[in-house]
Amino acid sequence: MPGINEVAQLAGVSTATVSRALSGNGHVSEATRERVHAAALELGYVVSSHASALATGRMKNVGVVIPFLNRWFYGAVLEGAESALLSHGYDLTLYNLSGGGDERASVFEHFLLRKRVDAVIAIALELTEAEVGRLHDLGKPIVGVGGTMEGVPTLSIDDIGVARLATEHLLALGHTVIAHIGGNKDSEMDFHVPSKRRVGYEEALVAADITPDPELFEAADFTLQGGYAAAKQLLGNPRKRPTAVFAASDEMAIGTILAARDLGLNVPGDVSVIGVDDHELSDFFGLSTVAQFPALQGRMAVDMLMDQLKPGHREISATNTALPFELIVRSSTARQV
Amino acid sequence: MPGINEVAQLAGVSTATVSRALSGNGHVSEATRERVHAAALELGYVVSSHASALATGRMKNVGVVIPFLNRWFYGAVLEGAESALLSHGYDLTLYNLSGGGDERASVFEHFLLRKRVDAVIAIALELTEAEVGRLHDLGKPIVGVGGTMEGVPTLSIDDIGVARLATEHLLALGHTVIAHIGGNKDSEMDFHVPSKRRVGYEEALVAADITPDPELFEAADFTLQGGYAAAKQLLGNPRKRPTAVFAASDEMAIGTILAARDLGLNVPGDVSVIGVDDHELSDFFGLSTVAQFPALQGRMAVDMLMDQLKPGHREISATNTALPFELIVRSSTARQV
DNA sequence: GTGAAAGCGCTAACAC
DNA sequence: GTGTTAGCGCTTTCAC
């Protein structure tokens, strides 16, 4: 493993010059620059990141904390963040907090704080004040995605607005008996997403002079299976069958479409279905949905972080930035006749 | 940010003792151990990983290279690897190679080699000899998952055996006209998985004295949509409709089930369907499958790596270890009457 | 434009 | 069991 010394020797310059030539910091004549690069290439030299990190205090590495890895949405956010980070020359150190609570404590105590990362992106995870404080004490910027956090710049979607938009679409089509499949206690994640979506749903109904009916609400766990079971309950009710269903996630909406089929109901003839996400399968199922753009979310988080990591921008404006969303109408929703 | 010096001062010992007490290497009296820990806690001290990495040469960090993030299978492998790594006190630095070819070169040149990682786990990615050589020159162990690689210990499933098992299940149920949905050129990933599965399928047929019929093969891209389209072709053929379909992935198998429904065919009454993976949705669809256990694969890869990272075990036995798989019979396969 | 040298914060011999 | 000290491999003033 060649070190900077070997390169310096081969190029006939000092290690300082090698450092300058390779990092681009400081002035080096074009001629020596080339000589150094050639020498480095010949020796297959690569800087030792710890040595340079030790000398500069910068790691070029950001920690990403995320609650799930094998769910489409989170995978997509992660993918967006990873490629953005890579293009900025940063590594991404992954911390998956799907396990229990002590795993979380351990990640914070033993990993994030070891100054191995320059900054942290928290996805769909609400950090405690203590966690935020600890990180900030160490001078590490944080960006949150998926909800707001005191003292932390965040990126989050207007979940109430998303739900209202979906519900309004159904209302505009003439539906009045609109059911909602939302979250249960377990899926009431860190930012109360399920609750907010239910609020948006109810707001839209009220705005249309319809009183929300608790019987038209079913809780599920945001999975296809859960949506299927919930939809069976809703659509199987002979007394009060909804003509439309707004599911808080596309996976649950797809479960709803499948349940409708199994009950002999036609979508959208007998029942309209709309979800949230624009899941990779939504197009296949012709599901109308309110798209959020997870990969974009990951990329935006990285951009925000890069701003904060720039030497100048020291004052963090700990505000929330709204994430875009968009109604996509496919064939699962139709006018109520 | 307190350093080891402050802790040493507060505890009234030398920095060496602090290091020993905190890392557990070397002997320290119980009394001072406690004093040091108390001091560290009071100051909120955490070791600087770069400083210790520079001093020891160990980073406690492994790089994971993976081709996809938002596909269930890969997410699950990653999840298994992440939690195993965490429990060994290692960080996981993620490199997603879903992008183009230059992204791959860049990851190797600029990231993996910066000695930020102690080792590399390559998932479903066949490293070139040059890549392996470069890594080994730097003294970094590698473990491969999903296929074999010259000079690298690997973990991989017997794809031919998997396919044979699935096909034999169908044969044993009395099916003789068995179609196969395999991969297309694009999905012919690094280890020729689709080709191997097709070979296994054909071997099983031949062993049962059935001549593989090219007309009963359709290529798809391993997605649900792709499987659906392929199945439509196969099951829509009025002249030679198969009574069973073996899909090379569960997602394609689920697509097949959906296609059968849309064609008015009953599964398993009219057509039996079997896949590979044991995808999270397979149980819901009653899909018979040959399970592979992605999270376990991730964990096993980490275990192999830890063995190699142990001081003693310097000689790498670059052999392949077979991964377990298992037939799971659900309701999508039945006796051909 | 380039070199010399002083660290960055820790660990690991080596003494005691 | 504990302290002293010499690096680990870079970056970055400060001279020249």
Side-chain angles (χ1 to χ4, degrees), chain A residues 1 44 46-51 53-54 59-60 69-70 72 75-76 78-79 82 86 89-96 98 103 107 109 111 113-116 134 138 224-225 228 258 261-262 280-281 284-285, chain B residues 1 44 46-51 53-54 59-60 69-70 72 75-76 78-79 82 86 89-96 98 103 107 109 111 113-116 134 138 224-225 228 258 261-262 280-281 284-285:
Chain A
M1 249 181 318
V46 271
V47 301
S48 158
S49 62
H50 5 20
L54 184 54
M59 233 349 215
K60 294 284 256 175
L69 285 180
N70 56 6
W72 174 80
L78 190 59
E79 191 160 83
E82 199 271 351
L86 209 67
Y90 276 72
D91 272 345
L92 149 11
T93 298
L94 179 66
Y95 299 102
N96 174 22
S98 59
E103 192 176 54
V107 162
E109 258 336 287
F111 291 89
L113 299 176
R114 279 209 247 172
K115 87 173 297 201
R116 338 185 74 163
R134 204 97 164 73
L138 291 171
L224 194 152
Q225 297 95 308
Y228 180 88
L258 262 15
R261 281 190 200 173
D262 286 355
E280 57 177 348
L281 290 177
F284 176 76
F285 283 100
Chain B
M1 249 180 317
V46 271
V47 300
S48 157
S49 63
H50 5 22
L54 185 55
M59 219 17 203
K60 296 283 255 175
L69 285 180
N70 54 7
W72 174 79
L78 190 58
E79 190 160 85
E82 199 271 350
L86 209 68
Y90 276 73
D91 271 345
L92 149 12
T93 298
L94 179 67
Y95 299 102
N96 174 23
S98 59
E103 191 175 54
V107 162
E109 259 334 288
F111 290 88
L113 298 176
R114 282 208 246 171
K115 87 172 297 197
R116 343 185 68 162
R134 204 96 164 72
L138 292 171
L224 194 151
Q225 297 95 309
Y228 179 87
L258 262 15
R261 282 191 198 171
D262 286 354
E280 56 176 348
L281 290 177
F284 175 76
F285 283 99

Side-chain angles (χ1 to χ4, degrees), chain A:
Chain A
M1 249 181 318
I4 198 172
N5 289 296
E6 281 90 298
V7 180
Q9 227 173 324
L10 212 180
V13 294
S14 72
T15 62
T17 301
V18 173
S19 174
R20 285 189 278 251
L22 260 28
S23 71
N25 295 36
H27 294 284
V28 181
S29 78
E30 188 55 30
T32 56
R33 234 188 64 86
E34 276 173 20
R35 223 148 15 91
V36 169
H37 271 100
L41 194 64
E42 180 178 338
L43 295 171
Y45 168 77
V46 271
V47 301
S48 158
S49 62
H50 5 20
S52 93
L54 184 54
T56 61
R58 272 168 278 115
M59 233 349 215
K60 294 284 256 175
N61 186 162
V62 348
V64 172
V65 199
I66 197 165
F68 305 100
L69 285 180
N70 56 6
R71 287 207 194 168
W72 174 80
F73 183 83
Y74 296 95
V77 176
L78 190 59
E79 191 160 83
E82 199 271 351
S83 73
L85 246 12
L86 209 67
S87 75
H88 284 280
Y90 276 72
D91 272 345
L92 149 11
T93 298
L94 179 66
Y95 299 102
N96 174 22
L97 259 33
S98 59
D102 54 335
E103 192 176 54
R104 176 165 179 157
S106 142
V107 162
F108 271 87
E109 258 336 287
H110 302 302
F111 291 89
L112 283 182
L113 299 176
R114 279 209 247 172
K115 87 173 297 201
R116 338 185 74 163
V117 298
D118 295 324
V120 174
I121 295 179
I123 296 170
L125 239 23
E126 183 164 21
L127 305 186
T128 65
E129 270 187 43
E131 288 165 347
V132 170
R134 204 97 164 73
L135 253 17
H136 278 163
D137 285 352
L138 291 171
K140 296 192 196 311
I142 310 174
V143 166
V145 180
T148 60
M149 256 151 55
E150 195 59 46
V152 175
T154 52
L155 242 30
S156 78
I157 209 158
D158 172 9
D159 278 296
I160 294 180
V162 164
R164 203 158 42 195
L165 178 57
T167 310
E168 281 171 9
H169 171 60
L170 263 13
L171 288 165
L173 288 171
H175 293 276
T176 53
V177 187
I178 302 175
H180 176 49
I181 299 179
N184 52 27
K185 286 164 296 302
D186 292 340
S187 59
E188 183 70 15
M189 297 161 277
D190 279 18
F191 293 116
H192 312 292
V193 171
S195 298
K196 287 188 196 151
R197 294 200 179 154
R198 185 172 184 179
V199 167
Y201 154 76
E202 295 183 344
E203 281 184 10
L205 291 185
V206 169
D209 281 328
I210 297 175
T211 306
D213 180 349
E215 275 191 64
L216 290 175
F217 174 82
E218 277 288 331
D221 60 359
F222 275 67
T223 67
L224 194 152
Q225 297 95 308
Y228 180 88
K232 274 276 179 87
Q233 290 302 114
L234 254 13
L235 300 176
N237 184 338
R239 300 262 171 87
K240 196 188 291 176
R241 188 168 65 68
T243 64
V245 177
F246 161 48
S249 82
D250 276 4
E251 300 197 39
M252 295 197 293
I254 292 169
T256 302
I257 290 178
L258 262 15
R261 281 190 200 173
D262 286 355
L263 290 170
L265 297 171
N266 178 29
V267 174
D270 300 312
V271 56
S272 283
V273 179
I274 188 168
V276 176
D277 273 352
D278 199 24
H279 188 279
E280 57 177 348
L281 290 177
S282 299
D283 185 52
F284 176 76
F285 283 100
L287 180 66
S288 293
T289 190
V290 177
Q292 37 180 339
F293 307 93
L296 175 67
Q297 295 185 9
R299 255 178 283 132
M300 286 176 70
V302 170
D303 289 344
M304 269 181 96
L305 211 50
M306 292 302 130
D307 270 0
Q308 284 186 59
L309 253 17
K310 276 202 202 97
H313 210 294
R314 278 299 65 187
E315 3 63 69
I316 19 161
S317 65
T319 60
N320 181 63
T321 304
L323 252 12
F325 57 91
E326 183 184 326
L327 176 67
I328 297 183
V329 180
R330 297 199 178 96
S331 57
S332 69
T333 47
R335 174 152 294 280
Q336 166 63 4
V337 287

